[in-house]
Amino acid sequence: KHSMHASHRWPDIAKSRSCLARNQSMAIAVCFYGLIRNIEHTLTSLQTNLLSPLRAVAPSDVFLHSLVTTSVSSTRFPTAGEANVALNRLDFVALQPCRFEVEDQDEVDASLNISERSRASLQMSSLNAGDGGSIGSNSSRAMSAARTKVILSRYTVDSYANVMRAKYSMWRSARLVLVHEAKMG
């Protein structure tokens, strides 16, 4: 598993921002997760509307888990300007995380069997939509309407894979905070 941690792979980046000291009575952990991309379009807004206001309330640190890949394309909305967009694997650095972990998305997909699990989730959603997954539901009209909703939503296997990746990355980001808190006491 190839991950890049602040502590041993990229020391110059890790020095860009240090975590708060132990003597802080209160601090805010801001977590970013997922595929950090094209940050130059959102960084000013994030700083103005999220990070600066939080730092006005209490000291805060950024914790980040990022999945990296070479390009992204939207299968759900291919006209949304996301057709084969090249990505900068270092976009996350602009957020100046005090703790971060970066993992290759393809390796995470393989280790978590994302492809097979997302296909199974889409199939289950299409088959059981509307009945809450319960066996023997007798409301065929509700099931039919729910199936139609799933089909019309244009969710794809890739959509389900992205949800799984986001949940994984969110968990990893939260874990960075927990490990940091445990170390700081």
Side-chain angles (χ1 to χ4, degrees):
K1 180 171 163 175
H2 296 286
S3 5
M4 297 171 249
H5 301 274
S7 58
H8 68 277
R9 292 294 290 278
W10 293 352
D12 293 337
I13 294 169
K15 290 177 189 172
S16 65
R17 178 138 168 80
S18 61
C19 287
L20 299 171
R22 286 179 193 234
N23 61 357
Q24 297 290 331
S25 61
M26 181 177 95
I28 299 170
V30 180
C31 296
F32 288 92
Y33 63 92
L35 185 64
I36 308 298
R37 59 187 174 166
N38 304 323
I39 196 75
E40 70 273 5
H41 300 295
T42 57
L43 184 59
T44 300
S45 180
L46 287 169
Q47 289 172 336
T48 302
N49 299 308
L50 177 68
L51 299 174
S52 291
L54 287 176
R55 289 185 176 130
V57 173
S60 64
D61 276 323
V62 171
F63 297 83
L64 180 140
H65 179 269
S66 182
L67 296 171
V68 293
T69 188
T70 54
S71 69
V72 66
S73 61
S74 174
T75 57
R76 188 160 178 227
F77 299 109
T79 59
E82 291 189 349
N84 298 316
V85 173
L87 300 177
N88 180 351
R89 296 171 73 96
L90 297 177
D91 268 354
F92 75 92
V93 174
L95 293 166
Q96 297 181 320
C98 76
R99 296 277 186 264
F100 68 89
E101 181 179 19
V102 177
E103 293 183 86
D104 184 273
Q105 181 173 295
D106 293 335
E107 291 178 16
V108 169
D109 284 2
S111 70
L112 298 177
N113 202 12
I114 295 289
S115 181
E116 183 178 317
R117 291 174 61 209
S118 58
R119 275 194 292 280
S121 293
L122 177 61
Q123 183 179 9
M124 291 299 292
S125 294
S126 298
L127 294 175
N128 294 326
D131 70 354
S134 63
I135 297 174
S137 174
N138 58 10
S139 176
S140 61
R141 184 185 299 170
M143 284 181 63
S144 177
R147 271 192 209 104
T148 301
K149 202 174 196 179
V150 168
I151 292 166
L152 291 176
S153 70
R154 298 189 331 184
Y155 285 120
T156 64
V157 169
D158 289 338
S159 299
Y160 282 84
N162 286 335
V163 169
M164 290 177 190
R165 290 179 190 119
K167 287 175 67 176
Y168 169 79
S169 188
M170 186 185 311
W171 171 75
R172 296 296 292 191
S173 179
R175 187 173 172 272
L176 289 170
V177 175
L178 294 174
V179 168
H180 175 69
E181 285 178 343
K183 284 182 182 178
M184 298 309 281

